[in-house]
Structure formats: structure tokens, C-alpha cells
Amino acid sequence: MSKIIISAAIRGAIVIVDRVEKKVNEAIEKFGADKAVAFPNTGYYLPTIYAILGTPVKTLGDMKPVLEECRKLLPNVPQEGLWLPYLGAGLDAGMAALWAFDIEEAIKYVEDTPYLLAEDCTEEQLWLGAADDIIMRKRGVEFVDGSAPGFAAIVGAAPDNATAVKLAKELQEKNLYVFIASNENGISFAEQLREEGVQLGWNTRLVPFGKDTSAAIHALGFANRAALAFGGVEPGDYDRILKYNKNRIFAFVLALGEVSDEQYAAAAGVINWGFPTIATSDIPQILPTGVCTYEHVVSNVPYDKLVEKAIEVRGLKIQITDVPVPVAYGPAFEGERIKKESMHVELAGPKAPGFELVRMKESDEVHDGLFEVIGPDLADIEAGTRLPLAIEVEVSGRKMQSDFEPILERQIHHLLNGAEGVLHIGQRDIIWMRISKKAKGADFSLKHFGAIIHAKFHSEYGAILDKVQVRIYTEQEKVEQLLGEAREVYAARDSRLKDLTDDAVDLFYSCTLCQSFAPTHVCVISPERPGLCGAYNWLDGKAAFEITPTGPNQPIEKGNTIEEVKGQWDGINSFIYSASGNQIEKFNAYSMMEDPMTSCGCFEAIAVLLPMANGIMVVDRDFAGMTPCGMQFSTLAGSVGGGLQTPGFVGISKLYVASKKFISADGGLARLTWLPKHLKEFLKDHIIARAEEEGLDDFINKIATEEDCETEEEVMEFMAKVSHPALTMDPMF
Ligand code: SF4
Ligand code: ZN
């Protein structure tokens, strides 16, 4: 690291630490040292400090010792024990600056929240501040499963709005998240985008944290919390935190315009995490590799080369299929909304018939690349029209099976949504679509639905299919006629799924996708138990194995039965043992009390034993409140995740609650005493149907929610009042 850089970073860090210290003292004077501090609805305190130092800052007073740590790092003396290679002093100063930023941002929340507590920006409020844990988990999963390859943290501003829009779109098309903070001479990148009418927020992956440079800490906070939540890394284990981020979170900084000393200090700081900085201005470069995977600071990069350079420097692997459509395309556009005023056409939905269907055909019946529109297309109708819609996709291939039809069909939702200006909701015969005037103005046509489905099916499912043809119908009569036939297909599929039970098959499927984050975790997916993230069922596993025979989904022979009721087989045990790196010896599919399945970090919900109630509660990640076990979801997730078996706790998919095999060895559904209200509503029909099968009378009304009770004692009172079946069952342990 050159002398200039060291001095710029240290200069910046000293200014920051001095300023923050002053702010802390003022805040203590005003509110007292015991005043609580937190980022709302998060369980990781001030996460950058917590991750590296292990210190939970809970009050203003707790900030003082951290500032002392900052001071220790400011002189040019590397502290003993810290993971510090040769870049030494600059990295230390940068680390101090980042801790100070964490504190500075937390102080903003002390009086009242300066940021919008929401997923998406509104017209009045642009800045979102720290993501809450619900957002962090939901989005963090995308980093786990690879649907987001990484994130770009942007500081400063582009030379003009058009350049800003172009850069943002380029990053979105690479599926990257864009975390925005800071400004250059009072202008910020996020404001430039908003002036041009770009939708901002988590749903379009363009996330404005705050206008101060300190707000950039929320990007790092997100990365650190992901490491703690999904990687099972202990707070304070700085060595693993830093390496984990370097190896698994593909992030980089884009510094636009002039780089201030403060921004330089932050850039030096994030090198500790392996995140390089790519700058447009002529700042000193730090080229030798060592801490980051490749170079650390690369400067003087022209705007049109910025993204390309960043991807190269960070060593990102990005797969893109060229989708031949006249609008931008990528998952970042999936979260886009289309309001009535900006829509050219509405297709299907509540007021017009519609459906989508994928069918397998003989090879000679499918003409690959044929896209037909039967009925009026976008150019034939006036803005504001409503049309019926049938999307009929026919595929053939030697390895294609009819079991894969619903899997392919389910992709249509996100594939079409990925086009800018196209909105798709629902599946089967409850689809609802909108297309924007802007897309129509760019010559988008309904034929492009075919182009998208054709291109993506070939690129992602080429191993099972050879040919794809797509017909789009928008004539009322024809759609109605085809709808009847489609419903017969759906009904046949559903009845086939009913017959597909754990006992009826010899093979289960593994999923080890999450091992990139939780190295000992193995999901065992059976017909009656989906993966705990809720995204993969047994048929998905089967299809995925056909598509990628050496991938994360492998067939597992059940083998000999060891425990019939608990669901233990020797074939499954030996698979898990080797797939977990010899960490997990045995596993009971149907018990959460004895050798339950491991949990990674991305489960939709957690089932938790309530020992006094002789039952269980289930809480999902959308519920931020306190639960009767005395812990919030985020705290529970922190102690259950990371690839461990934790008797009494198990990460599950939401729908698994309605499975016949749901903790069947521990008493099954009858053990359920508490659910968050919205989850109870979501599962209502399933629970009613299952309770009937089990002969449980009026069971749905015997499940308490947060409206009935907060503590386990209150759950027990509630149970007594409604005569809950668990009261008379055998002790759970
Ligand atoms: Fe991760 Fe399990 Fe989901 Fe696979 S099925 S992605 S291992 S949670
Ligand atoms: Zn996972």
C-alpha cells in the first residue's frame, strides 16, 4: 500500500472517529449512557462491531469501549492477533472507520427513525437504512442459492443521470444487488436514479441506504449478518468472518467521482473483508493481490468499463443467457410494479380467463423455436385493454418426463417477470399479467413470451429437453375452450401427487446446495417433506438430478429400516455421514426431539418445543415479534442454523406443517399449539383438512396466535380453555 493511500485512509479515519466520539458524548449527555440503541428488528446489535469484536453494543454507554478499540487501531501499529497482512496500517485505520460508522448510524435511530422501515422506497422517502432481519434473510437466501451472485456498493454520484441509469441497469442485468450510499457534492447516485423515474428498493435490487458516507456501513452490516445467519460463524471470530466474506460474498465497491478521505478510509476498511474498490477517478491504485482475491483498488476506470472491470477484479462468476427481447432482462426486474396508469394491457386476472400450461409431446409434434400469437397482440389494441390469455408451452426431449411438466411450468412466473415492463402473478389458472406502455413502446410483443421461455428453458433445462414451442392465445372463445382441458391436466397431476408418499418410494433426494454456507448441512427431501427453504420438493430433486447428475441433488437409497416410526434408514444415515463431512451420524426424518434434521440458515420457519405445554410452536421468518418460547425468529435462527442438529428445534418449510409426516414420531399435528396469525391464515385450509384426517375436533381454533398469548404460561392457559389435545398426550420428551 503506497504511502499516499495509508495517509489518506488514516486521515479519513481520524476525522471519522473524532466526529463520532463527539456525537456519542453528546448523545450520552442528552439521553444517558443507559439509553438503548439498535437497528430496528435486527438481532445482531451493531453488526460490523458484533461480527468482528463479538461485542454486543446495546446502549449508548457500550459505544465508549468500542471507540477505545478504534483509537488503538488508529496509530500505525498493527494490533497483535488481528488478521492483518502486509497492508497493515491502512487496513487498521479503515477497520476503525467502519466501527465508527456503525456507531454513527446507530445514533441516528436513537431519537426516532430517520429512515423508511420498508422494503421499497416511496415517492416521499428514498433512504431505507439498515435492512431488518426479515429482509436480510429473504435476500440472503438469494446469495446462498446463487440467484444473486453478489453486490456492488456504490458511493458518490455519476457525472449525469443518464450514466447513472445505464450503470444501474447494467448491474441489474448481471443480477447483482446495488447498495447505494454517500454522495458527491450533495448529489447521490440514488437521487439521480429517482429523478429518472427508476424504481428503487429491495424488490428491484437497487437499495438506497443513506446519503451520508456512514450509511455505506449497512452494506457491510448485511454481509456480516449473512455470515452469522447462514454460515454459523460465531460473533467475534473475526478470522472466519473475514475469510467467509472473502470466499462467499461477492461484493465490491464502485467509487464514483472524486474520492474523499472518508470514502478512502472506508474503502481501505472493506479490503479486510476481501471487497475491492473500483474507482472512476485517478486515485492511487493498490494492485498487488493478497487480502482480496485479486487487486485491491483499481482506479481511473471509464464508466462503460466499470462493471466489466469490477467483475473481473472480484473474480465473479456470472452466467447470463442472452434473451432476445427489446427490453432489459434479469431477476432484478422481477420485483418491479406496474401501476394502472402505466400499463398498456392487462392479461387474464380476476376479470378475464387465463392459464399457463407446460406439456410434454413427442419430438415430431414440437417445432423448436416456434412462437405463435393467436388473437390480438399488443400493437393491435388500445392502451388500457384487458385480454384473456393462454400460454401453452410444448416441449420434447429424450430425458423429459411428465413429472417435470409442473417444474418447468413453475418457472414461467419468474422467467416472464424478469423482463422489464412485464408483470406476472400466480400460476396455473390464476395467472394475472400486465405489460407497461414503455415495454410496448420498445416494440415488445406477446411473441417475446415465447422468446423468453424458449431461451431460458434451453439454457437451464437443456439436459432434459431438446425442443420448445410456445403458443399464446388471446381470443376469449379459444382460451375458454383450452382452459377446460388445462384443468383436467392440473387435476390429474394433483391426484398423482397424493399417491406419492414416503412409504411408496425407495429413493429420497439430497440437497446440499446450502453447504456453500453451512458446510455440514444436508436436506433430505422425501415426497412428504420438502427442503426446509420451501423451494425444493422431491420431484424437483428428481428433475435436478436428471439435469445435473453431479449436482447438489442426489438420489439416496433408503436401504434397511432402522427405526420405522422415527423414520431412520441405514442408507440415508450413511449418505448423511459422508455428505456432512463425517459430522452427522444419524437422522430421524419424523422426529424433532431425537436426531432431527440439521438446519442451515434459510428455513422458512422453525418448529420449537414448548416443554411445559407438552407441545410445539412454529414461527416463520416474516414474524418479527416475540414468541412464546421467549425468543424472536432471528434469535432462534441464530441458535439453530449453521448445519447443526438441535433436538427440540428444527428448521422447516411452512407447508411441511400440513404433511402427514410432520413430526409424526413426536405426536404430529396435534402437538401444534401456537402460530403467528398470518401463518395460521396461510395454512388454514391445509390444517383443517389434516385435522379432519387425524380426527382432531375443531383443531384450527385450538391453535393460539400472538393475539391470544405471548408467553408459554399464557399458551398453557389457552390450551386449558380450548381443551387442546396435547394436554392429554404422552410427554414429548
Ligand atoms: Fe438449502 Fe435445503 Fe433448500 Fe437445498 S433444499 S437450498 S439444502 S434449504
Ligand atoms: Zn439453506
Side-chain angles (χ1 to χ4, degrees):
M1 195 186 235
S2 83
K3 283 240 170 57
I4 320 172
I5 294 159
I6 294 185
S7 57
I10 292 179
R11 239 183 3 245
I14 290 174
V15 173
I16 294 165
V17 174
D18 283 350
R19 179 181 67 230
V20 172
E21 189 153 50
K22 214 169 133 240
K23 285 189 180 174
V24 171
N25 289 334
E26 283 166 7
I28 290 179
E29 207 155 283
K30 196 164 165 202
F31 302 102
D34 292 337
K35 175 79 178 172
V37 292
F39 293 124
N41 302 323
T42 67
Y44 301 89
Y45 310 101
L46 312 196
T48 300
I49 295 168
Y50 188 54
I52 301 297
L53 289 174
T55 311
V57 175
K58 298 177 190 168
T59 63
L60 286 173
D62 291 341
M63 291 172 168
K64 299 282 274 187
V66 177
L67 285 167
E68 275 163 36
E69 292 297 319
C70 293
R71 289 273 170 222
K72 281 190 214 158
L73 290 184
L74 281 182
N76 288 351
V77 194
Q79 291 305 116
E80 218 181 316
L82 264 184
W83 180 61
L84 284 179
Y86 63 96
L87 295 175
L91 297 189
D92 274 8
M95 181 66 86
L98 295 172
W99 292 339
F101 276 164
D102 225 5
I103 291 176
E104 192 168 26
E105 284 293 303
I107 290 177
K108 290 187 184 168
Y109 287 89
V110 168
E111 247 173 314
D112 47 7
T113 306
Y115 296 124
L116 183 69
L117 299 181
E119 264 197 309
D120 287 314
C121 311
T122 61
E123 270 161 39
E124 299 77 44
Q125 178 53 298
L126 179 61
W127 303 109
L128 299 176
D132 66 24
D133 278 352
I134 294 172
I135 296 175
M136 183 276 290
R137 287 191 170 272
K138 184 163 141 198
R139 304 294 165 176
V141 171
E142 300 177 358
F143 289 82
V144 179
D145 70 15
S147 53
F151 69 80
I154 292 195
V155 294
D160 52 67
N161 290 5
T163 309
V165 172
K166 196 163 161 271
L167 178 59
K169 202 164 272 193
E170 202 182 335
L171 291 162
Q172 280 178 305
E173 284 186 315
K174 300 266 186 303
N175 311 339
L176 292 155
Y177 273 86
V178 184
F179 294 160
I180 310 165
S182 191
N183 66 85
E184 192 197 8
N185 303 321
I187 299 170
S188 97
F189 187 72
E191 290 164 334
Q192 293 180 310
L193 295 179
R194 188 167 63 171
E195 276 173 23
E196 297 305 308
V198 175
Q199 280 179 29
L200 293 155
W202 284 96
N203 279 313
T204 53
R205 303 195 177 191
L206 301 171
V207 188
F209 285 132
K211 198 165 175 176
D212 297 330
T213 304
S214 55
I217 199 66
H218 299 308
L220 198 58
F222 177 89
N224 284 322
R225 283 152 65 200
L228 295 169
F230 298 105
V233 185
E234 289 296 318
D237 188 351
Y238 51 82
D239 190 50
R240 278 189 63 207
I241 287 276
L242 298 177
K243 284 187 183 140
Y244 185 91
N245 275 280
K246 177 187 169 182
N247 295 330
R248 308 192 196 276
I249 311 262
F250 288 88
F252 52 87
V253 181
L254 296 181
L256 311 184
E258 288 306 314
V259 176
S260 67
D261 283 358
E262 287 202 21
Q263 288 172 346
Y264 215 114
V270 298
I271 292 175
N272 285 294
W273 277 259
F275 301 164
T277 291
I278 322 299
T280 59
S281 67
D282 191 12
I283 57 171
Q285 311 208 85
I286 310 178
L287 296 180
T289 62
V291 189
C292 298
T293 308
Y294 301 108
E295 296 88 348
H296 300 103
V297 175
V298 181
S299 66
N300 226 352
V301 181
Y303 276 89
D304 57 350
K305 295 271 160 12
L306 210 49
V307 176
E308 203 179 296
K309 190 76 200 171
I311 286 170
E312 174 204 329
V313 171
R314 186 62 185 92
L316 261 177
K317 305 248 177 318
I318 292 185
Q319 275 182 347
I320 317 181
T321 323
D322 253 332
V323 178
V325 290
V327 293
Y329 189 86
F333 303 101
E334 285 172 27
E336 176 201 15
R337 301 167 303 250
I338 297 171
K339 293 194 191 134
K340 245 200 167 112
E341 311 83 74
S342 47
M343 125 198 146
H344 178 71
V345 65
E346 183 164 85
L347 299 145
K351 292 181 184 152
F355 70 93
E356 60 198 19
L357 183 68
V358 173
R359 308 261 16 222
M360 181 176 103
K361 293 272 149 173
E362 292 302 323
S363 181
D364 56 11
E365 295 173 89
V366 185
H367 182 82
D368 186 50
L370 170 94
F371 320 134
E372 261 183 311
V373 178
I374 298 117
D377 201 337
L378 304 189
D380 311 322
I381 53 165
E382 297 199 355
T385 307
R386 179 183 299 126
L387 289 174
L389 173 71
I391 303 174
E392 194 186 72
V393 183
E394 291 172 325
V395 301
S396 66
R398 258 162 296 139
K399 292 183 89 181
M400 183 64 198
Q401 306 178 12
S402 57
D403 271 353
F404 301 158
E405 288 174 352
I407 295 167
L408 295 170
E409 195 175 291
R410 224 170 46 212
Q411 312 305 320
I412 295 177
H413 168 69
H414 81 263
L415 294 183
L416 295 187
N417 248 337
E420 192 181 21
V422 175
L423 174 78
H424 180 288
I425 297 171
Q427 19 80 30
R428 288 192 172 183
D429 56 353
I430 53 167
I431 57 168
W432 184 356
M433 295 194 68
R434 281 180 173 180
I435 295 173
S436 74
K437 289 178 182 157
K438 216 172 127 202
K440 192 245 164 194
D443 281 336
F444 190 85
S445 127
L446 294 179
K447 269 196 183 168
H448 290 118
F449 287 180
I452 294 169
I453 293 168
H454 176 260
K456 297 298 275 187
F457 272 17
H458 271 296
S459 73
E460 285 170 25
Y461 299 93
I464 51 174
L465 51 80
D466 305 325
K467 294 189 199 173
V468 183
Q469 74 183 13
V470 182
R471 286 198 185 86
I472 310 290
Y473 298 87
T474 56
E475 278 166 359
Q476 179 90 14
E477 214 175 299
K478 190 72 191 164
V479 171
E480 274 169 2
Q481 177 212 325
L482 292 170
L483 180 59
E485 294 166 25
R487 285 190 173 137
E488 280 168 29
V489 177
Y490 301 144
R493 275 185 200 164
D494 288 345
S495 75
R496 151 130 178 82
L497 277 182
K498 274 219 175 74
D499 299 337
L500 197 60
T501 61
D502 284 13
D503 300 334
V505 300
D506 297 324
L507 290 180
F508 290 171
Y509 284 89
S510 66
C511 186
T512 49
L513 198 60
C514 283
Q515 288 199 346
S516 64
F517 276 68
T520 59
H521 175 69
V522 186
C523 268
V524 175
I525 304 178
S526 66
E528 292 175 86
R529 184 179 198 171
L532 51 81
C533 58
Y536 298 91
N537 64 28
W538 188 82
L539 282 178
D540 294 318
K542 188 175 173 200
F545 175 66
E546 288 295 332
I547 294 164
T548 322
T550 54
N553 302 102
Q554 294 294 320
I556 326 173
E557 295 257 6
K558 279 169 37 188
N560 300 312
T561 306
I562 299 174
E563 296 268 6
E564 169 118 39
V565 176
K566 289 177 190 152
Q568 199 185 127
W569 302 268
D570 63 0
I572 309 274
N573 279 352
S574 66
F575 182 92
I576 296 209
Y577 185 65
S578 72
S580 67
N582 304 351
Q583 294 299 305
I584 313 290
E585 282 179 18
K586 55 185 173 162
F587 146 80
N588 288 323
Y590 309 136
S591 172
M592 62 182 275
M593 298 307 298
E594 205 187 312
D595 302 311
M597 193 153 90
T598 54
S599 299
C600 54
C602 50
F603 33 79
E604 285 189 300
I606 307 179
V608 182
L609 171 72
L610 293 177
M612 292 186 297
N614 201 30
I616 63 153
M617 52 159 270
V618 173
V619 58
D620 66 317
R621 67 173 172 231
D622 287 331
F623 184 70
M626 187 45 79
T627 74
C629 73
M631 286 186 267
Q632 289 168 300
F633 179 87
S634 56
T635 321
L636 277 169
S639 42
V640 178
L644 304 172
Q645 281 179 312
T646 320
F649 301 82
V650 69
I652 56 170
S653 75
K654 293 192 278 198
L655 279 173
Y656 180 51
V657 174
S659 163
K660 270 190 192 155
K661 297 289 194 196
F662 173 60
I663 61 163
S664 53
D666 307 322
L669 185 66
R671 292 286 183 186
L672 184 59
T673 67
W674 187 94
L675 287 174
K677 192 175 169 232
H678 70 110
L679 183 57
K680 183 173 165 181
E681 199 48 48
F682 172 78
L683 290 171
K684 194 172 167 194
D685 294 345
H686 298 283
I687 292 179
I688 291 174
R690 280 284 300 122
E692 202 161 292
E693 283 172 5
E694 298 278 308
L696 297 168
D697 188 34
D698 193 30
F699 186 66
I700 190 78
N701 293 317
K702 295 181 179 175
I703 304 168
T705 73
E706 70 273 21
E707 290 183 344
D708 307 301
C709 17
E710 254 174 28
T711 62
E712 187 169 351
E713 283 77 14
E714 286 168 14
V715 170
M716 288 161 68
E717 285 165 26
F718 183 91
M719 289 168 74
K721 209 170 66 190
V722 299
S723 307
H724 194 284
L727 289 173
T728 55
M729 291 170 76
D730 289 343
M732 228 181 133
F733 66 105

